[in-house]
Amino acid sequence: MGSDAGLKKKMSAPSLHGLLPTQKKFLPALGVIACFVVFLVIRMSLSGVPVEEEPVHDVLGMEFHHERLQIYESSAHAEDLAWRHDLEHRPIIAVDRSWIWGVSEKYPMVLEGNIKAMCKPATARDFNPFYGWYFFFWNLFSHRPMRMYTPSVPLYDVNLMTEEWVSFVGMRAQGASEIVAYHLDSVLDYRRKPPLASRLVSNKQLYFYGDVHNPRPDSPYEKKEHQWKERSGITGFIANVIERYLTPAYPVAVSMHSWVEMKGTAPNTMVGKILMQLERSPTMIRQHLRAVLDVSDTIVFDWLMDDHDRKQDHNWMSFHERLLIWDSGLALRHGPFAAGVDGSQGCGDILCGTHRFMHEIENPAWTDSIKAKPDFDPESNKYCNRICFFRSETIEHLRAMGPTAEHEHRLGARMRQSLLLDAVGSELMELGVYRVKRGRNKNKQRRYYADNFFTGFDRKLAMLLEHVDACVEQHGKDRVLVEY
């Protein structure tokens, strides 16, 4: 009996009193860990970060209600606002993550009400599956919490006396420049950019199983498949599972676009000759004046946005015979002061129009090197003749925001005020990462404060107005500034 009692005593469940001293010393640590886990769960549930359910993957075959694109005159302003409200607030029902077109990340989406849209992330995807924990702990302990995913590259305050030639790094992340371009279109009163809105979307909804390493067979960009392999194979599967289930969510800033399917035609060389004051055809001017002036306004817009992409023949889209400001994803390409670097050259070739203009009109000895680095010396075989034909109303509007205007009425201040009303705001301009292209800081990476970009808008506008004044002096006001 005594032996049985002793056996039962040995087999009974251990109590805290029966723990060895070396085991007892771990109890406080285990208690702290348990409390911290409970705290994390509560904090994550109250963090306000959108953790949305996984949407339907395939959006093919659905019927959409998206035929709401309007010509952006004053009468369509209410319709534009309605579109922006839908893009900004309607719940996301489905995301197609297999769609590839061009070099940027694009995600076709279906919003509540069967409205088809498309989003572009404002920052390049962070392929570290544990970034959610970094974002969480940063906001938990930092006195400067982050609203959204933000690159770790430090912000740099540009000094006008120490300019650097920089180039945008994240070519796949084009949402920020699209949103800034939309606000510039509004400030200039063009009303020619299809409606879009900024929005914060959970990384778990946007990126989970978001590899596009399996492009559709009919994709014209299968050759770009190598750009998207960061999450392919078994390692990509594991990383996606970690990001989905084992890390907190974090918001990603995106531009939400109305879905529009159309084709366009680039302006021909006759338009280029008129813009460059190389051709004077009164009959054509009267018949196609609006179209020619729309091209001129578009080139002015691209100069202010530092958008070189429309120098190619694509992205010239029209709707009801009105030229749209289509696809500004590669704008702000060279930092805040791109137009001012290297004196009057810099990005001045934007004002020369398309490569077709430069090739077929001006340069018999055209080579690829001219496309890479045009010249503004009339004696050079790389000469780039900038346009000297502008809508008078556009120039008058720009002068009202130019160097002689009160500070609060200048273009940079107007852009700042417009972005204050944006869902994400001017922080969008601080998400872009740039690499120094030459000089002692070559290959160093930079991000710039939004104020640098606002100052850059003022500077580029001042240079544009100087060019317009030079055109008037050379050709006369009546030929340069045309009323419509």
Side-chain angles (χ1 to χ4, degrees):
M1 293 291 292
S3 60
D4 292 341
L7 183 60
K8 289 181 180 180
K9 184 177 181 180
K10 290 181 181 179
M11 295 178 62
S12 61
S15 65
L16 291 177
H17 297 288
L19 293 176
L20 296 175
T22 54
Q23 294 175 319
K24 289 182 179 180
K25 70 179 183 180
F26 291 108
L27 289 178
L30 291 174
V32 171
I33 292 174
C35 292
F36 186 66
V37 169
V38 172
F39 170 75
L40 287 180
V41 172
I42 297 174
R43 180 67 176 80
M44 288 170 63
S45 64
L46 300 177
S47 63
V49 175
V51 184
E52 304 173 59
E53 294 184 359
E54 174 65 11
V56 178
H57 178 78
D58 192 4
V59 301
L60 297 178
M62 299 183 68
E63 295 183 0
F64 307 108
H65 306 293
H66 61 274
E67 300 297 332
R68 287 164 52 178
L69 184 63
Q70 301 289 326
I71 302 175
Y72 300 111
E73 308 291 356
S74 57
S75 60
H77 183 61
E79 183 72 16
D80 193 11
L81 292 178
W83 246 119
R84 292 197 66 200
H85 182 273
D86 289 347
L87 293 171
E88 187 175 334
H89 297 290
R90 280 184 181 254
I92 299 171
I93 305 302
V95 180
D96 182 0
R97 303 176 186 85
S98 63
W99 197 76
I100 297 180
W101 191 271
V103 298
S104 70
E105 289 188 52
K106 302 181 181 73
Y107 297 93
M109 293 181 168
V110 181
L111 307 182
E112 185 182 69
N114 263 10
I115 296 176
K116 190 174 182 181
M118 181 268 290
C119 87
K120 292 183 178 182
T123 49
R125 181 180 182 182
D126 193 310
F127 286 95
N128 175 9
F130 297 101
Y131 178 83
W133 286 116
Y134 170 80
F135 182 88
F136 171 75
F137 283 114
W138 178 275
N139 284 354
L140 187 64
F141 297 111
S142 175
H143 65 284
R144 294 182 293 106
M146 295 185 291
R147 292 179 58 206
M148 69 201 91
Y149 167 71
T150 304
S152 59
V153 176
L155 282 167
Y156 183 75
D157 193 0
V158 172
N159 186 323
L160 293 181
M161 302 304 294
T162 58
E163 295 170 344
E164 297 175 322
W165 182 256
V166 297
S167 183
F168 188 58
V169 174
M171 302 294 280
R172 283 160 44 182
Q174 301 181 6
S177 56
E178 290 280 14
I179 297 165
V180 175
Y182 181 84
H183 285 273
L184 179 63
D185 175 73
S186 177
V187 168
L188 297 183
D189 203 26
Y190 279 11
R191 308 292 178 183
R192 288 169 44 207
K193 192 164 182 64
L196 61 87
S198 64
R199 182 169 178 167
L200 295 179
V201 178
S202 169
N203 69 303
K204 293 182 181 291
Q205 186 174 45
L206 188 65
Y207 289 147
F208 180 58
Y209 291 121
D211 333 323
V212 275
H213 61 274
N214 291 319
R216 295 177 182 170
D218 59 344
S219 169
Y221 284 90
E222 281 190 80
K223 62 182 179 181
K224 298 184 181 297
E225 178 183 354
H226 66 278
Q227 296 182 359
W228 308 94
K229 285 189 175 179
E230 291 90 340
R231 285 258 177 124
S232 60
I234 185 62
T235 56
F237 174 79
I238 294 173
N240 276 323
V241 171
I242 291 173
E243 183 172 0
R244 174 62 177 174
Y245 297 108
L246 303 180
T247 61
Y250 58 88
V252 178
V254 300
S255 61
M256 296 288 293
H257 302 249
S258 54
W259 185 269
V260 183
E261 297 178 356
M262 60 179 63
K263 296 181 179 180
T265 304
N268 57 38
T269 54
M270 178 60 72
V271 173
K273 289 180 179 180
I274 295 172
L275 294 176
M276 296 175 182
Q277 298 289 346
L278 300 175
E279 184 79 23
R280 187 69 174 173
S281 175
T283 302
M284 181 180 178
I285 291 292
R286 286 194 299 269
Q287 183 179 359
H288 301 290
L289 180 58
R290 180 176 182 174
V292 174
L293 291 175
D294 278 354
V295 174
S296 174
D297 285 347
T298 302
I299 293 173
V300 167
F301 184 91
D302 289 344
W303 160 265
L304 294 173
M305 280 299 301
D306 185 25
D307 189 350
H308 297 250
D309 199 29
R310 231 181 312 271
K311 293 188 69 63
Q312 312 293 337
D313 280 354
H314 63 282
N315 291 343
W316 292 92
M317 304 291 179
S318 298
F319 183 78
H320 288 185
E321 300 183 354
R322 188 77 198 274
L323 185 63
L324 299 177
I325 303 292
W326 182 270
D327 193 348
S328 303
L330 293 178
L332 301 177
R333 190 167 183 174
H334 298 108
F337 306 119
V341 179
D342 283 351
S344 63
Q345 297 190 24
C347 296
D349 63 313
I350 295 176
L351 291 176
C352 298
T354 67
H355 287 316
R356 179 187 297 189
F357 292 175
M358 297 166 63
H359 183 188
E360 298 182 5
I361 298 174
E362 305 239 35
N363 297 291
W366 177 269
T367 64
D368 289 339
S369 64
I370 300 175
K371 181 187 300 186
K373 189 177 180 181
D375 199 345
F376 301 107
D377 180 2
E379 303 300 324
S380 171
N381 68 340
K382 297 183 179 182
Y383 179 54
C384 165
N385 190 0
R386 287 168 282 189
I387 66 171
C388 277
F389 190 90
F390 304 95
R391 193 190 306 265
S392 60
E393 182 182 0
T394 298
I395 300 304
E396 289 174 7
H397 189 46
L398 290 174
R399 288 194 189 279
M401 297 182 287
T404 60
E406 296 291 334
H407 184 269
E408 61 271 20
H409 298 304
R410 293 181 183 176
L411 179 59
R414 295 280 300 276
M415 287 293 294
R416 182 186 290 106
Q417 294 166 7
S418 183
L419 281 162
L420 284 175
L421 304 176
D422 189 84
V424 177
S426 60
E427 293 176 67
L428 285 162
M429 307 176 82
E430 299 178 354
L431 298 177
V433 178
Y434 296 85
R435 179 179 288 114
V436 180
K437 301 297 288 184
R438 56 175 178 256
R440 62 179 182 176
N441 295 318
K442 185 177 180 180
N443 292 328
K444 288 187 176 180
Q445 293 190 346
R446 305 268 194 255
R447 287 192 299 128
Y448 296 103
Y449 288 101
D451 284 344
N452 295 152
F453 287 94
F454 297 138
T455 304
F457 277 118
D458 288 336
R459 187 173 182 182
K460 287 181 280 190
L461 176 56
M463 295 178 67
L464 173 67
L465 295 177
E466 289 178 3
H467 170 65
V468 173
D469 291 339
C471 289
V472 170
E473 183 177 351
Q474 180 180 0
H475 302 287
K477 183 177 179 179
D478 292 340
R479 292 191 61 176
V480 174
L481 302 178
V482 181
E483 296 184 1
Y484 177 78

